[in-house]
Amino acid sequence: MREQPLILDGNAVAAAIKEKLAARIGALAERGVVPRLATILVGDDPSSATYVKMKGNACRRLGIDSVRVDLPEATTTEELVDVIRRLNDDPAVHGILLQHPVPHGIDERAAFEAIAIEKDVDGVTTLGFARNAFGFADFPSCTPAAIVSILDYYNLPIEGKHAVVIGRSPILGKPVSVMLLNRNATVTICHSKTERLPDVVGAGDIVVAAVGKPKFVQGDWIKPGAVVLDAGYNPGNVGDVDFDACLSNASAITPVPAGVGPVTIATLLKHTVDAAEKRANENRTKIEPHYKII
Amino acid sequence: MREQPLILDGNAVAAAIKEKLAARIGALAERGVVPRLATILVGDDPSSATYVKMKGNACRRLGIDSVRVDLPEATTTEELVDVIRRLNDDPAVHGILLQHPVPHGIDERAAFEAIAIEKDVDGVTTLGFARNAFGFADFPSCTPAAIVSILDYYNLPIEGKHAVVIGRSPILGKPVSVMLLNRNATVTICHSKTERLPDVVGAGDIVVAAVGKPKFVQGDWIKPGAVVLDAGYNPGNVGDVDFDACLSNASAITPVPAGVGPVTIATLLKHTVDAAEKRANENRTKIEPHYKII
């Protein structure tokens, strides 16, 4: 008889990440530094408002300052870029998160590009993406990094496995593909124009759903024994994977909620602490030189 | 009986690209502008020297200035970066090509990164890669762009096809993967850690060999009717594909030499002309404003 599939517990992975952060935040506090994340919400999409609130709460529980900038739906690209530039210039802000998606009237790419690379804790700039693709990003995109963290936490091998990623967005499908590739998976990237999608997904030892359509991935697409990671989060707390149907074939699977989501938030917190430490160390270098005047 | 496979003639594709360039170079000449490509060769690898010479000759035949900088094997990263910065600052230079690979003592990535984005006609910077990945690069990497040009020249469809790319280098495997993805292919990226490689390659409607191993891709790996593009160029004018063996399954295939190589060079020339035009138009904007003082 087949073993029960492993339910990959995002809350457990997130707790492990946050536990390591607590000591680092304490050490920064002794140096008078409190990591600070600025989150920008444009418009009043209720889901986006919820995400931003969750991120803010997660910051505060861990001792990270959270500054929230709320802008009206009618904000122009120039106004948004101006807000971002001011946050870039603010030395107390270590990370900047622009909640995706922004209203249609705004050039989202231009806004993302305005974020200074050293504060791009969500990994949304083109330069951040390329550094990620080449394996030397400071802050890989949070959801892709969360997916890799879940696999690592459960010791699920990546190298040599065939990973199938469904979706090719700049902040999810593309970066998770390159991250799995850099971890030596063979990677196939699928999308709306992919022909015979069920067959292509059926080749995957690891399947990542990042398509933004509720219960899109069907149970009979999944190769028996595959690991399924659901990066979707659709209205009604529904993922991109038909969880119940996929359970019968998967060897391991993330639920929604309590799967990829909490690990994404923990990764964002980690990147904010990384950025604060980096900045604090740069300041220390300036104040306490390693030479001595004799 | 099966139709004869189509031999994809790189010289014909290159000639078509160059023919379009001639008129543009003439128009620039009337404005007093000669496109100029600076090529940097570090060390004395004979293949690299041959490539640089071929590129220089191709420039001159078309009326593009070619400036060659030869540096000794013992050049440091700092010295190379300094040379690149001076070329960045030289307004007469429109494109900079650093011949790959550089000697082992040099940090190749640091050198590539020193190239100003507006002169990165070979598409080697991380920013250039990311702009390519997101579909808005001015100068996508030349060999990947050449592969797409060959497919387009012969009206071989990309959208919906399963493309298998063998190799994941920053200047070839990764950028060609994202370019085919952006043209709506389903893309699988393979490499040295890929398991059951022949089966994975056998799923490809389009197979791109970018692995740097002579005659690596075997005939019986190729799905009948697949299109095979060989981006390899190994000592002795041998590609990454066992051409004769693959002929029996492929519906279309590039030879080596006279396949991807000449189109890569033509693409480099095109990017240099693009860069010169862009700069000339910027200058014109500065000199001849579109307003009139009344």
Side-chain angles (χ1 to χ4, degrees):
Chain A
M1 210 185 94
R2 201 169 86 80
E3 275 183 55
Q4 282 296 309
L6 179 65
I7 308 298
L8 303 169
D9 179 356
N11 288 327
V13 182
I17 293 171
K18 289 187 210 166
E19 198 185 313
K20 285 186 194 159
L21 288 183
R24 293 170 59 193
I25 293 169
L28 279 168
E30 286 178 18
R31 297 163 66 186
V33 175
V34 180
R36 179 174 292 179
L37 175 70
T39 54
I40 307 170
L41 175 65
V42 189
D44 30 43
D45 176 62
S47 311
S48 292
T50 304
Y51 297 147
V52 165
K53 198 173 165 188
M54 284 165 69
K55 288 166 186 173
N57 290 343
C59 281
R60 275 184 291 280
R61 275 197 293 272
L62 213 63
I64 295 174
D65 263 1
S66 167
V67 181
R68 186 165 156 180
V69 182
D70 287 338
L71 297 172
E73 185 87 14
T75 302
T76 66
T77 303
E78 293 67 32
E79 286 164 346
L80 177 55
V81 164
D82 193 54
V83 165
I84 291 168
R85 292 218 174 111
R86 272 183 281 144
L87 294 169
N88 286 342
D89 292 341
D90 182 345
V93 170
H94 302 104
I96 300 171
L97 174 108
L98 171 60
Q99 182 63 43
H100 167 87
V102 295
H104 288 300
I106 294 176
D107 180 347
E108 182 175 87
R109 181 44 52 196
F112 279 155
E113 291 311 304
I115 299 172
I117 184 82
E118 69 273 15
K119 299 193 180 187
D120 179 22
V121 289
D122 202 24
V124 294
T125 59
T126 51
L127 190 58
F129 170 79
R131 293 177 63 86
N132 193 8
F134 295 164
F136 50 83
D138 290 325
F139 311 122
S141 303
C142 289
T143 303
I147 286 167
V148 172
S149 293
I150 291 170
L151 293 169
D152 285 345
Y153 179 89
Y154 284 99
N155 289 316
L156 297 166
I158 301 173
E159 179 164 316
K161 299 299 173 188
H162 192 149
V164 177
V165 175
I166 313 168
R168 54 174 164 172
S169 75
I171 55 171
L172 190 39
K174 279 176 179 164
V176 78
S177 297
V178 295
M179 289 181 81
L180 293 169
L181 178 64
N182 289 341
R183 287 287 299 271
N184 293 327
T186 300
V187 178
T188 297
I189 316 172
C190 311
H191 44 78
S192 55
K193 304 287 184 185
T194 292
E195 294 174 1
R196 300 181 310 279
L197 182 64
D199 292 345
V200 177
V201 173
D205 304 308
I206 298 170
V207 175
V208 177
V211 69
K213 291 182 185 168
K215 295 192 178 185
F216 180 75
V217 176
Q218 304 299 305
D220 57 4
W221 299 4
I222 301 300
K223 179 164 76 172
V227 175
V228 178
L229 297 131
D230 187 349
Y233 195 65
N234 304 290
N237 274 2
V238 175
D240 288 353
V241 168
D242 186 340
F243 181 82
D244 293 330
C246 289
L247 263 183
S248 56
N249 277 331
S251 66
I253 185 166
T254 57
V256 174
V260 173
V263 189
T264 297
I265 294 180
T267 304
L268 176 69
L269 303 182
K270 179 184 172 298
H271 289 173
T272 304
V273 173
D274 289 343
E277 278 181 353
K278 208 172 167 194
R279 186 169 183 98
N281 291 339
E282 282 166 7
N283 286 346
R284 185 167 59 178
T285 310
K286 281 179 204 148
I287 297 163
E288 301 167 8
H290 290 292
Y291 58 82
K292 200 173 162 182
I293 296 167
I294 49 170
Chain B
M1 209 184 93
R2 202 169 86 79
E3 277 183 51
Q4 283 294 311
L6 178 66
I7 307 299
L8 303 169
D9 179 356
N11 288 328
V13 182
I17 293 171
K18 288 185 209 167
E19 199 186 312
K20 286 187 196 159
L21 288 182
R24 293 170 60 193
I25 293 169
L28 280 169
E30 286 179 17
R31 297 163 65 185
V33 175
V34 180
R36 178 174 290 179
L37 176 69
T39 54
I40 307 170
L41 175 65
V42 189
D44 28 46
D45 176 62
S47 311
S48 293
T50 304
Y51 298 147
V52 165
K53 198 174 164 187
M54 284 165 69
K55 289 166 185 173
N57 290 342
C59 280
R60 275 184 293 278
R61 275 197 294 271
L62 213 63
I64 295 174
D65 261 1
S66 168
V67 182
R68 186 164 154 180
V69 182
D70 286 339
L71 298 171
E73 184 87 14
T75 302
T76 66
T77 302
E78 292 69 29
E79 285 164 347
L80 177 55
V81 164
D82 193 54
V83 165
I84 292 168
R85 292 218 175 113
R86 272 182 282 143
L87 294 169
N88 286 343
D89 292 340
D90 182 346
V93 170
H94 302 105
I96 300 171
L97 174 106
L98 171 61
Q99 182 63 43
H100 167 86
V102 296
H104 288 301
I106 293 176
D107 180 346
E108 182 175 87
R109 181 44 50 197
F112 279 155
E113 291 310 304
I115 299 173
I117 184 81
E118 69 273 15
K119 299 192 181 187
D120 179 22
V121 288
D122 201 25
V124 295
T125 59
T126 52
L127 190 59
F129 170 80
R131 292 176 62 86
N132 193 7
F134 294 165
F136 51 83
D138 289 324
F139 311 122
S141 304
C142 289
T143 303
I147 286 166
V148 172
S149 292
I150 292 169
L151 293 169
D152 285 345
Y153 180 89
Y154 284 99
N155 288 317
L156 297 166
I158 301 174
E159 178 163 316
K161 298 298 172 189
H162 193 150
V164 177
V165 176
I166 313 168
R168 54 173 164 174
S169 75
I171 54 171
L172 190 40
K174 280 176 180 165
V176 78
S177 297
V178 295
M179 289 179 82
L180 293 170
L181 178 65
N182 289 341
R183 287 287 300 270
N184 294 328
T186 300
V187 179
T188 298
I189 316 173
C190 312
H191 44 80
S192 55
K193 305 287 184 184
T194 292
E195 294 174 0
R196 300 182 310 280
L197 181 63
D199 292 345
V200 178
V201 173
D205 304 308
I206 297 170
V207 175
V208 177
V211 69
K213 291 182 185 167
K215 295 192 178 185
F216 180 74
V217 176
Q218 304 299 305
D220 57 3
W221 298 5
I222 301 299
K223 180 164 76 174
V227 175
V228 178
L229 297 131
D230 187 348
Y233 196 64
N234 305 289
N237 274 2
V238 175
D240 288 353
V241 167
D242 187 341
F243 182 82
D244 293 330
C246 289
L247 264 184
S248 56
N249 276 332
S251 65
I253 185 168
T254 57
V256 173
V260 173
V263 188
T264 297
I265 293 180
T267 304
L268 177 68
L269 303 182
K270 178 185 174 295
H271 289 173
T272 304
V273 174
D274 289 343
E277 278 181 353
K278 206 171 167 193
R279 187 172 181 96
N281 292 337
E282 282 166 7
N283 286 347
R284 185 168 61 178
T285 308
K286 281 179 204 148
I287 297 163
E288 301 167 8
H290 291 292
Y291 57 83
K292 200 172 164 184
I293 297 168
I294 49 172

